[in-house]
Amino acid sequence: MTPTHLHLLINHVPLFGSVIAVVLLAWALVARSRDLTRAGLLLTVVCGVAAFLADQTGDRTKDQLEQLPWFTEDLVEEHEEAAEKTLIILGLAGAVALVGLIRMRGGRTVRLESGLALALVTFGGMAAAWTALEGGKIRHEEVRPGFVFPAAHDD
């Protein structure tokens, strides 16, 4: 498996995991469920770690792709800038969630940590979606602004 394969596999975790974490944490806050809180916080930590791993595999992926004829530096730079913001937000969300998980082990209530993690993972999920779109533009011209699909031919 190449760094590019790993990058493409890992980068889906922050994107889809953050959506699930938002649902779990919101539900946990409404239901006041420790189990849902624990699950949501744990998934938020996983999203933060996955964002870090996606960032780490991104540089090696770029090194592999630079030699290909369709490689466009500007598109990769846009993706990298979006990814940096996502990493920061999901890294903070993961850190807050980890604090919450540690405090839960002591039997404490973690509504503040859960609410803060919920807010951060929500923004992190939106940032991950933006990062995914920017990454998609690298290989998929159909998601680039101004692209027009060719007219269909009726045969």
Side-chain angles (χ1 to χ4, degrees):
M1 185 168 291
T2 69
T4 301
H5 290 121
L6 283 173
H7 183 70
L8 292 171
L9 286 171
I10 293 168
N11 69 24
H12 288 84
V13 175
L15 177 62
F16 295 109
S18 62
V19 172
I20 298 167
V22 165
V23 171
L24 287 171
L25 289 169
W27 189 8
L29 285 169
V30 170
R32 297 182 181 264
S33 168
R34 287 184 68 78
D35 290 337
L36 288 173
T37 299
R38 187 176 291 109
L41 292 175
L42 182 59
L43 185 53
T44 301
V45 171
V46 169
C47 288
V49 170
F52 173 77
L53 293 174
D55 181 67
Q56 294 301 301
T57 58
D59 288 336
R60 286 176 272 159
T61 297
K62 180 180 176 183
D63 292 342
Q64 285 187 318
L65 299 182
E66 285 177 319
Q67 311 308 317
L68 298 174
W70 49 261
F71 180 83
T72 307
E73 183 72 33
D74 291 343
L75 294 175
V76 173
E77 285 181 21
E78 291 293 323
H79 177 58
E80 286 177 332
E81 288 177 21
E84 287 174 9
K85 291 170 180 63
T86 301
L87 175 59
I88 291 167
I89 298 167
L90 286 179
L92 287 171
V96 168
L98 186 60
V99 168
L101 286 168
I102 291 167
R103 291 194 59 198
M104 282 185 86
R105 288 190 65 179
R108 296 186 181 107
T109 302
V110 292
R111 290 185 62 76
L112 175 64
E113 292 87 348
S114 297
L116 185 53
L118 173 59
L120 287 167
V121 79
T122 299
F123 287 114
M126 290 187 291
W130 174 45
T131 301
L133 176 62
E134 293 300 325
K137 290 176 185 177
I138 295 169
R139 262 317 255 164
H140 297 280
E141 65 181 288
E142 69 275 13
V143 297
R144 296 179 195 160
F147 178 81
V148 177
F149 284 94
H153 298 287
D154 293 331
D155 293 330

